[in-house]
Amino acid sequence: MAEGTWAFYYLQAEDGEDRSHPNAFRIPGAKEITLSDVHKHFPLGNPSGFHFRFRLNNGDTFYWMDVASPSAVVPMVNGRVICKVLRLHRPTKKGLVLTRKPVYTLKGVAAPRTASSGPEPKRPAKYSDTPVEPKTTSRPSAPAPKAAPKPQASGESFEDFLAGAPKTATPPVDLMDGGGATWSAPKATPPVRRPSPPPPPVSAPPKDFNDDCGQTVGPVTLADMDKHKVSADGSQVYNPDLVDKSTKSDHVRAAMLQREADKAADIERARQELLARDQAKTQLEAAKASAVIALGPKLKNWAEDNGRKKNIRTLISTMHQILWPDAKWAEVNMGKLLTPNDVKKQYRRAIMVVHPDKAGGRTAEQLVIAERIFDAVNSAWDEFARTEMK
């Protein structure tokens, strides 16, 4: 017989595979077997598509050890290699495809018989379309067969037998053998005492959320954070600026000082930018208020006629009178506003010119004019769409 070591395995989550009926293959060669030896003689093709777990006995129990390195030595039990294998890539099963065959009509076949074709001749019962009820005869009921006794299942699997696991011997029980014992009267059983009610549950002590349990947050413990906390705003925030720098090395102390200087410079720069934006916004609002006072009457005369709002055709045809010179808007006469589609086209062009999203780089007077035109044209378009765009 060729020398070598037997390897027993079964595939996990596969039909027809279980640990009681393992598969086997022989690994020839050295005393110490590595995972590469198992891969080399594994009978199921590409071994890289499987994951191997090897059995390792430990006293009365055992463990499964994962081995992933090809050069690692696999454990052996009772002179054998016992493993379970998991398939990593499963092939996709194709579903059942049903095709319907075409129905052909043959020439010369007699047409089916109808009621007008006359009475149908008598046909044998086996060819009749009417189901025939089977004849029933009364027979005495036979007693149900007794079920055969099931063999007692053994608690030991074939894998445990191969691994040499300890087994517990249970003596057979013969229910038919009296064993020569004589019958004796049963002994009086003591009265059953009722169990006392369980004690009331003890409430658990409240959790101490200040207990850090020796945990750390980065390089700083929770105790250090509590020592250098800042709670002026009602919260506990760790302040790294309060850390004692004298306990640090020179390069760490220099890095901490540089970080603090950079942070202070960034804060100051952001503060100056915010002040500049607030100041520019305040100046723009003041300039717009002055422009409203100066341009208010002119814009009102363009949008209204004695308190009544003008229609959209009038507004679009006179927009060039109040727009600034470089507004990229040409005069639109009434000939281009005859049909509703023409009005819709010119309305969209007007909105694109005065839209708030394109207000960048405009002066305060231009912003006031654009906002007034935008509101008036949109209001007139809503009325036009309600009455004429139906």
Side-chain angles (χ1 to χ4, degrees):
M1 182 180 295
E3 295 183 357
T5 303
W6 280 102
F8 296 87
Y9 73 95
Y10 71 95
L11 299 177
Q12 294 182 262
E14 299 280 350
D15 295 337
E17 295 282 338
D18 59 78
R19 59 181 296 189
S20 299
H21 303 84
N23 310 289
F25 62 95
R26 183 184 290 276
I27 304 175
K31 297 180 180 179
E32 289 189 350
I33 299 175
T34 62
L35 182 60
S36 61
D37 298 331
V38 177
H39 286 178
K40 182 178 179 180
H41 301 90
F42 188 62
L44 295 185
N46 182 18
S48 62
F50 299 87
H51 177 70
F52 294 81
R53 305 183 72 190
F54 297 89
R55 175 165 174 160
L56 178 63
N57 286 349
N58 184 12
D60 296 339
T61 183
F62 65 92
Y63 305 96
W64 292 102
M65 185 173 70
D66 295 273
V67 179
S69 176
S71 60
V73 178
V74 302
M76 299 179 60
V77 289
N78 203 19
R80 305 178 181 91
V81 175
I82 300 179
C83 60
K84 56 183 179 180
V85 185
L86 177 64
R87 192 188 301 271
L88 300 179
H89 305 286
R90 299 182 181 272
T92 304
K93 296 183 180 179
K94 295 184 179 180
L96 180 63
V97 180
L98 301 178
T99 58
R100 183 177 180 180
K101 295 183 179 180
V103 180
Y104 300 96
T105 304
L106 301 178
K107 295 183 179 180
V109 178
R113 182 179 297 275
T114 59
S116 60
S117 302
E120 182 181 0
K122 187 175 181 180
R123 302 172 64 188
K126 64 178 181 179
Y127 300 113
S128 176
D129 295 335
T130 305
V132 180
E133 297 182 359
K135 297 181 180 180
T136 58
T137 57
S138 60
R139 291 183 180 180
S141 58
K146 296 182 179 180
K150 296 183 180 179
Q152 184 176 3
S154 175
E156 180 187 17
S157 66
F158 186 63
E159 176 192 313
D160 296 334
F161 170 75
L162 294 175
K167 56 183 179 180
T168 58
T170 56
V173 179
D174 189 359
L175 301 179
M176 303 300 296
D177 185 11
T182 58
W183 180 85
S184 59
K187 297 181 179 180
T189 58
V192 180
R193 295 182 179 179
R194 294 184 179 180
S196 58
V202 181
S203 59
K207 295 182 179 181
D208 185 10
F209 294 99
N210 295 323
D211 184 12
D212 58 357
C213 299
Q215 300 181 10
T216 60
V217 179
V220 183
T221 63
L222 295 179
D224 293 339
M225 292 180 64
D226 185 70
K227 180 180 179 181
H228 301 288
K229 64 184 179 182
V230 178
S231 57
D233 56 349
S235 61
Q236 294 184 353
V237 182
Y238 175 70
N239 188 358
D241 297 336
L242 301 180
V243 176
D244 188 7
K245 301 180 182 62
S246 61
T247 60
K248 308 297 180 181
S249 59
D250 294 340
H251 68 280
V252 173
R253 189 184 309 110
M256 295 176 67
L257 294 175
Q258 182 63 34
R259 182 181 62 185
E260 293 178 0
D262 295 342
K263 183 175 68 174
D266 293 340
I267 294 175
E268 181 62 22
R269 182 171 60 255
R271 190 178 69 85
Q272 294 296 335
E273 292 177 356
L274 180 60
L275 291 177
R277 287 196 300 268
D278 293 343
Q279 185 177 3
K281 182 179 179 181
T282 303
Q283 294 177 357
L284 180 60
E285 294 296 334
K288 287 176 64 175
S290 302
V292 168
I293 297 175
L295 300 175
K298 180 180 179 180
L299 296 175
K300 185 175 181 181
N301 292 334
W302 168 79
E304 299 178 2
D305 185 10
N306 294 328
R308 297 179 58 184
K309 295 182 179 179
K310 296 181 180 180
N311 58 60
I312 191 168
R313 289 188 173 92
T314 304
L315 295 178
I316 293 178
S317 62
T318 57
M319 269 183 56
H320 63 282
Q321 298 177 2
I322 59 173
L323 280 172
W324 54 94
D326 56 344
K328 297 181 181 180
W329 174 261
E331 179 181 357
V332 179
N333 54 41
M334 282 293 182
K336 298 180 180 180
L337 300 170
L338 296 178
T339 64
N341 288 335
D342 294 338
V343 175
K344 183 177 181 180
K345 179 181 178 181
Q346 298 301 330
Y347 158 74
R348 290 181 175 178
R349 289 183 61 246
I351 291 298
M352 291 292 292
V353 172
V354 298
H355 200 277
D357 292 344
K358 299 189 176 183
R362 293 176 182 173
T363 62
E365 291 79 5
Q366 294 174 356
L367 290 175
V368 171
I369 294 173
E371 291 174 1
R372 187 67 179 92
I373 294 176
F374 185 80
D375 295 339
V377 171
N378 272 328
S379 178
W381 169 256
D382 293 340
E383 180 66 21
F384 177 81
R386 186 178 62 83
T387 57
E388 300 190 31
M389 293 290 292
K390 291 185 178 180

